[in-house]
Amino acid sequence: MNLNRYDHDFYAWTQEQAQLLRTGKFNQIDFDHIAEEIEDMGRSEKRELESRLEVLLMHLLKWQFQPNLRSRSWQLTIKEQRLRLEKLLAENPSLKSFLADSLEKIYQLATISAERETGLSYFPQICPYSLTEIFTPEFLPTEEAGNFNK
């Protein structure tokens, strides 16, 4: 087994490690790198959750604070992100506990994205939507929603 393969031909390394696992050749397995890759896979799922939630929150903000520009496209993006988040959480239920802890940080990123896209700079500092609202398929915020003062 070539341990340098991990750094120089990752695909070949993955195939080799899978074969070693399947054939029970545990004394030849690159356990340190396998553990590292498994952790990276978990972080990747978490990053996808953060990214999709950020996009969803940004579109909820755009929907709420730009009522004259509402479009079917925004509505479909909101629907799509909810469905993708539901699928991701169904496949990774342990990420649900991460949502409540991370909502405010992800919301801060969403406000930056919304500000960049809209030119508006007066979004609420604290997320005006509960997790229940965020995941409720019928929920679309109104102009009056949340504690918002211009």
Side-chain angles (χ1 to χ4, degrees):
M1 178 184 69
N2 182 354
L3 289 177
N4 281 337
R5 195 174 283 194
Y6 176 82
D7 293 322
H8 300 292
D9 189 346
F10 183 74
Y11 177 77
W13 174 85
T14 63
Q15 300 310 296
E16 180 180 74
Q17 295 304 304
Q19 185 61 28
L20 291 171
L21 285 167
R22 284 188 187 96
T23 58
K25 297 180 181 174
F26 301 121
N27 60 331
Q28 298 177 40
I29 292 176
D30 184 358
F31 285 106
D32 288 339
H33 284 126
I34 288 175
E36 192 175 305
E37 291 305 318
I38 291 171
E39 288 172 341
D40 283 348
M41 288 170 26
R43 283 190 292 271
S44 176
E45 295 297 307
K46 189 175 167 186
R47 281 190 299 271
E48 182 179 352
L49 178 78
E50 291 170 336
S51 177
R52 294 202 178 281
L53 184 55
E54 179 185 342
V55 171
L56 174 56
L57 289 170
M58 177 187 63
H59 276 80
L60 290 174
L61 288 169
K62 287 168 52 175
W63 185 271
Q64 181 175 353
F65 294 104
Q66 289 191 308
N68 296 336
L69 298 177
R70 289 177 183 163
S71 68
R72 181 84 172 128
S73 174
W74 286 0
Q75 194 172 19
L76 289 173
T77 297
I78 290 168
K79 183 177 182 177
E80 175 189 1
Q81 293 308 313
R82 282 181 172 142
L83 289 171
R84 291 186 184 274
L85 279 163
E86 286 176 17
K87 181 180 183 292
L88 183 63
L89 290 170
E91 293 170 352
N92 301 280
S94 63
L95 285 175
K96 288 179 184 174
S97 62
F98 169 75
L99 280 175
D101 295 338
S102 301
L103 179 61
E104 287 306 321
K105 288 190 187 291
I106 296 169
Y107 174 75
Q108 289 171 2
L109 293 171
T111 60
I112 292 168
S113 297
E115 187 173 338
R116 183 182 309 112
E117 283 201 17
T118 65
L120 303 175
S121 60
Y122 50 79
F123 298 109
Q125 290 186 353
I126 297 172
C127 184
Y129 322 119
S130 69
L131 283 173
T132 301
E133 289 172 326
I134 291 167
F135 283 92
T136 298
E138 302 80 27
F139 174 74
L140 289 171
T142 62
E143 296 165 71
E144 300 83 32
N147 297 324
F148 173 69
N149 297 313
K150 284 187 184 178

